[in-house]
Amino acid sequence: MSKNKLLLIDGNSVAFRAFYAIQNFESFKTKSGLHTNAILFFNNMLDNIMQKEEPSHVLIAFDAGKTTFRHAFFDDYKAGRAKTPGEFKEQMPYIRELIEAFGIQHYELADYEADDIIGTLARRVSADDFEVVVISGDKDLTQLADKNIRVEVTTKGVSELTTYTPEFIKEKYGLEPLQIIDMKGLAGDSSDNIPGVTRVGEKTAIKLLAEYGSVEGLYEHLDELKPSKMKENLINDKEQAFLSKKLATIDVNAPIDVAVESLAYSGKDIDKLVPFYREMEFKQQLNKLDTTGLTGTSEPLTEISYEVVTEAATSMFSDGMSLYVEMLEPNYHTSDISGVAWGTKEKLYVSFGDDILSQDSFKEWLDDENLTKIVYDAKANQVALKRYGIDLKGVAFDVLLASYLIDTNDKSEDLAEVAFNYEYYDIDTDESVYGKGVKKGLPAEDSVLFQHLARKVKALASLQPKLDQLLVEKEQHELFYDMELPLSRVLGEMEIEGITVNAQRLQEMKQEFAVQLKGIEERIYELAEEEFNINSPKQLGVILFEKMQLPVIKKTKTGYSTAVDVLEQLKDQAPIVEHILEYRQIAKIQSTYVEGLLKVIQPDGKIHTRYVQTLTQTGRLSSVDPNLQNIPIRLEEGRKIRQAFVPRKKDWQIFSSDYSQIELRVLADIANDQHMREAFVEGQDIHASTAMRVFGLSSEEVTSNIRRQAKAVNFGIVYGISDYGLSQNLGISRKEAQQFIDTYFEKYPDIKTYMETIVREAKDKGYVETLWHRRRYLPDINARNFNLRTFAERTAINTPIQGSAADILKIAMIKMAKRLKEENMEATMLLQVHDELVFEAPKEEIVKLEQLVREVMENAVELSVPLKADSSYGNTWYEAK
DNA sequence: ATGCTCACG
DNA sequence: ACGTACGTGAGCATC
């Protein structure tokens, strides 16, 4: 017979811990502004515990009110506590609602604390045939621990639990559980304002209790103590000690009117939980409910009807349909196509695998520019279909792209998650249908796949008008239709084209670097007088800071920092440091670039990156698999990697063009700063010009060092400057850095005004925008937490600058692609690196290309300052510098 | 899965 | 007093 198990949870303390589990609670808010961090973490904790413990009975206890029986004999009990934040209080009613939806009873009792309720019930039932588990956010309840009562205390927020058994308490404190009360009597507890004995803390209390067993025992034998300050304190505070013990003692005989039978647990109340999660906007939790197969209890999705197609016919296709191409792998260059679905809300077609893609009527539909389609991730579809010789045309709407523009914070990749955000629920997540990790795969029944795909297509059709309306409301119609959607096509073409890589050159480098690394490695082992893993910051830290006793300059969360700036400072103190720096540099090039790139060269001899168009908060692109936006350039050793990037044909060249100072030009424009604008209009060296203005120098007086400092200040301005950041960058004191900043603002008052205005605007509206209305919401901008708030303020300053620059590049790319076609050029756009475009072209076209790229980039948009593009070319990307 | 380090703009 | 420059991706070690 299975034993009964009662789970008792201290609702207040766990909720409180849940609230502080995360610093950044401003990010956990519903659309209507309710904070949900404590609710969410409470939910997750509850889910974990219920799954782990599988209790037969459950109760969550709460404190009743402000005063308890303890206040009757001690007015100041729990006095002096900081006020509970409003963001926490507002969540408590919802936590109770959550508990009810979990099908769990909660209880509170006037004059008593949750501790007393738990203590009373625990003792009452543990006498019977009950195992009791107590969950709390603080250690007060550990005094209850015995062979039938296990006390678990949350740590790390609420994600982990520490088990307090009598054995554990013995080991940790050398005390029996009940002696915890005596310890509190002597040492007190500042959080509850329990006084204890003056100058007696946990350590002293434990020592005394080891000798005398309890507060009573101690005072009986007080004369045996040698005269000391401590003895005096004990004598003076005798009354306080007994009072404190009384305060700390949990009342295990509280008048509780609950029959344990009524606490029997019979499972979640799904009908309450689903709407509750929706109200709280807990998408993952909703998702989880679907996957746990709660058959019959959860609202099943509607079965929608669809037609399975093996032979496509022209009659199945019409203008304005939605299309979904299913791939299970993220890399759409290589992933299999598992199925295709299309249709309208009313009529849905599905087909298994990729057979349909070779059928003419299907191809003709996709290829027809006049038959528009609504899709999810147009670029992925474009690239994947191209492998079947299909040129996807007529994409009129991309749900993924639109949802990104509407809210860049929305990280959902899955259509179901996007749909949930817009209150469309008739769809499963991919994870719930295909699984995840090693178990990921197509469902056993084809009908499950078909149903899922049909739902997706229906969702696309349903979401499109909503999203389109939102784009209008946010003034993002043009951003979407004239910038992002056309760009997605251009990016797709670049990804399909790929860039040719000279694998042989990389192989040579691999050999050379291997030899070099071997040599440095040996030298390091010699100097360390032992072998260790140089790549391990932990092991390296032991060698440098323990064995060799070098001074610790910076620490990380987990140990000593061994980052470059730290090692640079230690260079003179031990020769090993220089070798480690060199090792690091070469090891990085070897593993990330030489070996990394060799791994991703495709059979066509090219590398095909993927640009992620819906990720960054600023509107920039990112590049993955591999990242071609961080190929080394600053140091010569790494820069050589670029020798491996070559044109696809003999007698062709790599051509590169980059915007000069685009971010500062954008700043000059949006801040409307006369001085900075003048410098650009007159074509001056902007950093030198800043140096002259800020330090009051003539152009001859600007040394390279002064220019360097001015450059750092300019960078700082773009990033939302702080004295600390600038001081770190320049290796000067904070005071000096602040002096620079002050002078800068004096000389460029319009920049200062811009910064103040944009931060003000962000605080009022909750978001900032680029020149083309790309939006970034800043939930932390009014946070009380200093770090979060100042970070959001810097972001408010930086995002319009970085984002508008990104917009300009995007416009230039669209225009460039168009012009290359119009001019019938063979030149091809291959890469984008934030302010740079890389092409390959026949030698004969270079002169024309040079003119064309300059013309397009410099006139991509019109600002109040000129845009400038510089270009170069050569046999490899290395030579195009 | 997470943290550290380091590559780029 | 607080502890940071803005935006990314990848490899490696460690848990």
Side-chain angles (χ1 to χ4, degrees), chain A residues 618-638:
Chain A
T618 54
R620 276 190 176 182
L621 302 173
S622 90
S623 158
V624 291
D625 227 9
N627 182 356
L628 292 183
Q629 290 181 323
N630 71 346
I631 302 300
I633 189 163
R634 292 173 191 168
L635 299 170
E636 180 55 27
E637 292 90 333

Side-chain angles (χ1 to χ4, degrees), chain A residues 396-410 422 464 466-486 613 616-619 766-777 799 803 807 810:
Chain A
F397 202 85
D398 182 337
V399 168
L400 175 66
L401 208 43
S403 75
Y404 164 71
L405 291 187
I406 290 164
D407 187 354
T408 51
N409 282 322
D410 177 5
Y422 300 96
Q464 191 273 340
K466 288 191 200 178
L467 295 176
D468 191 70
Q469 179 55 34
L470 283 166
L471 290 171
V472 173
E473 284 167 20
K474 296 174 187 230
E475 301 175 286
Q476 295 179 318
H477 227 235
E478 287 177 26
L479 177 67
F480 179 76
Y481 289 101
D482 299 341
M483 192 190 295
E484 295 294 350
L485 202 52
Q613 202 181 344
T616 69
Q617 298 292 316
T618 54
Y767 64 88
V768 290
E769 276 182 322
T770 68
L771 289 171
W772 285 267
H773 302 296
R774 185 186 307 282
R775 229 178 239 206
R776 178 176 188 174
Y777 290 93
T799 298
D807 292 343
K810 287 180 169 178

Side-chain angles (χ1 to χ4, degrees), chain A residues 76 147 177 198-199 229 333 356 450 478 509 515 587 724-725 749:
Chain A
D76 286 344
K147 68 180 196 316
T198 310
R199 298 201 52 78
K229 191 75 202 160
H333 285 293
I356 197 87
F450 291 151
E478 287 177 26
M509 294 175 83
V515 173
Y724 181 85

Side-chain angles (χ1 to χ4, degrees), chain A residues 843-858:
Chain A
K843 271 187 181 144
E844 314 83 68
E845 275 189 8
I846 292 289
V847 175
K848 184 171 177 189
L849 184 64
E850 204 165 13
Q851 281 176 347
L852 186 64
V853 173
R854 160 156 294 144
E855 184 195 323
V856 170
M857 286 177 76
E858 295 189 347

Side-chain angles (χ1 to χ4, degrees), chain A residues 10 13 17 115 136-145 151-155 162 164 168-169 172-173 177 180-181 183-184 189 191-192 202 248 250:
Chain A
D10 178 350
S13 74
R17 287 297 171 124
D115 286 359
S136 177
D138 58 46
K139 292 180 191 136
D140 294 356
L141 280 159
T142 56
Q143 59 183 270
L144 294 174
V151 181
E152 305 264 5
V153 178
T154 60
T155 51
T162 309
Y164 282 72
F168 179 80
I169 295 168
K172 190 171 161 140
Y173 299 109
I180 301 266
I181 311 171
M183 181 174 87
K184 285 213 171 180
D189 182 340
S191 70
D192 289 345
E202 270 192 19
I250 289 174

Side-chain angles (χ1 to χ4, degrees), chain A residues 478-504:
Chain A
E478 287 177 26
L479 177 67
F480 179 76
Y481 289 101
D482 299 341
M483 192 190 295
E484 295 294 350
L485 202 52
L487 178 74
S488 118
R489 167 112 195 151
V490 173
L491 290 172
E493 286 166 1
M494 290 163 65
E495 293 175 8
I496 292 165
E497 185 63 44
I499 185 163
T500 308
V501 171
N502 182 347
Q504 212 185 330

